[in-house]
């Protein structure tokens, strides 16, 4: 059984084409800018079997066209990576395009097995510097880099997602370091910049959790464009979402 937070149909932002979006419940980190704190608790959510989900996805298949499919997001999908292997295997049997939207903070044999069945991985690089990674997520891990290296080695396509948060992820030095690190990656299809926004604020109030981004405003258009240019010094497909 998979613990599901929510489902959206006809998504257009989480991977290529039109997508069925499966948001799994549970997350292993606490990003300061998270706009979905309601997905954090591990073990909550609604139970869905692999069969239930495959059935729902198949109903949408006619809308997927050449590029679309399913994107599994969260929360953090790798929390349920063992169960997800079965889902991705079943979807591949039905020739459905599978994308995994992940913070990449768990790298073990089950992650490796799951990645075999992911046609595309949307990999967050929260911060290239371990000290800042901890400030942004609450923990330090080299797993995202290991996942990127693994994807490159096994010839599996991936995108990087980079959340631009003023005062945390906007320093020129680290943006250039990130871009340079990935410059020779052939399997990296694009890097997406996600400008920080404050849309999740009310959810924190409802849950009675202190809002960690008090006083932080979304980056200006100028700052977003500057970041894009910095990434473009080393990478060619850089987009703002
Ligand atoms: S990994 Fe995603 S769900 Fe988890 S805290 Fe960060 S932004 Fe929120």
């Amino acid at each position: 059984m998979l613990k599901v937070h929510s489902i959206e149909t006809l998504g257009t932002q989480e991977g290529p084409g039109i997508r069925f979006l499966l948001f799994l419940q549970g997350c292993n980190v606490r990003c300061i800018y998270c706009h979905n704190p309601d997905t954090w608790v591990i073990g909550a959510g609604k139970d869905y079997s692999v069969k239930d989900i495959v059935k729902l996805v198949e109903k949408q298949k006619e809308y997927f066209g050449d590029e679309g499919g399913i994107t599994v997001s969260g929360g953090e999908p790798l929390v349920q990576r063992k169960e997800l292997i079965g889902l991705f295997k079943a979807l591949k049997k039905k020739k459905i395009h599978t994308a995994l939207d992940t913070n990449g903070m768990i790298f073990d044999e089950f992650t490796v097995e799951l990645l075999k069945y992911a046609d595309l991985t949307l990999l967050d690089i929260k911060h290239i510097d371990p000290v800042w990674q901890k400030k942004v997520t609450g923990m330090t891990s080299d797993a995202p880099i290991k996942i990127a290296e693994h994807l490159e080695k096994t010839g599996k396509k991936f995108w990087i997602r980079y959340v631009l948060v003023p005062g945390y992820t906007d320093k020129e030095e680290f943006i250039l370091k990130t871009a340079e690190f990935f410059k020779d990656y052939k399997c990296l299809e694009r890097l997406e910049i996600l400008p920080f926004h404050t849309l999740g604020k009310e959810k924190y109030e409802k849950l009675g959790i202190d809002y960690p981004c008090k006083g932080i405003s979304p980056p200006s258009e100028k700052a977003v464009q500057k970041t894009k240019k910095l990434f473009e010094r080393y990478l060619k497909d850089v987009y703002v979402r």
Side-chain angles (χ1 to χ4, degrees), residues 27 29-31 33-34 36 39-40 74-76 103 124 126:
C27 186
V29 302
R30 296 289 180 266
C31 302
Y33 52 71
C34 182
N36 291 316
T39 65
W40 285 349
E76 171 47 48
N103 66 29
D124 293 344
K126 304 284 189 188

Side-chain angles (χ1 to χ4, degrees), residues 167-208:
Y168 284 86
T169 62
D170 61 345
K171 288 190 180 44
E172 185 167 330
E173 171 197 354
F174 294 123
I175 293 167
L176 289 175
K177 203 172 167 188
T178 308
E180 193 178 6
F181 183 87
F182 288 105
K183 71 177 194 306
D184 296 324
Y185 272 65
K186 293 189 175 53
C187 292
L188 174 60
E189 286 195 328
R190 61 158 75 188
L191 181 141
E192 290 189 338
I193 300 166
L194 281 52
F196 163 75
H197 60 70
T198 54
L199 294 178
K201 203 173 166 197
E202 288 75 34
K203 288 190 187 170
Y204 283 84
E205 279 157 22
K206 264 194 208 152
L207 293 165

Side-chain angles (χ1 to χ4, degrees), residues 46-87:
K46 202 173 161 205
D47 283 333
Y48 279 75
S49 68
V50 165
K51 234 180 173 179
D52 296 335
I53 298 168
V54 172
K55 230 190 238 169
L56 290 172
V57 178
E58 278 200 294
K59 277 191 201 156
Q60 300 286 315
K61 210 175 166 181
E62 60 181 295
Y63 300 104
F64 293 161
D66 293 338
E67 292 197 297
I70 181 173
T71 299
V72 180
S73 186
E76 171 47 48
L78 289 182
V79 169
Q80 300 185 62
R81 60 202 177 288
K82 292 180 199 165
E83 295 77 7
L84 259 185
I85 294 167
L87 176 64

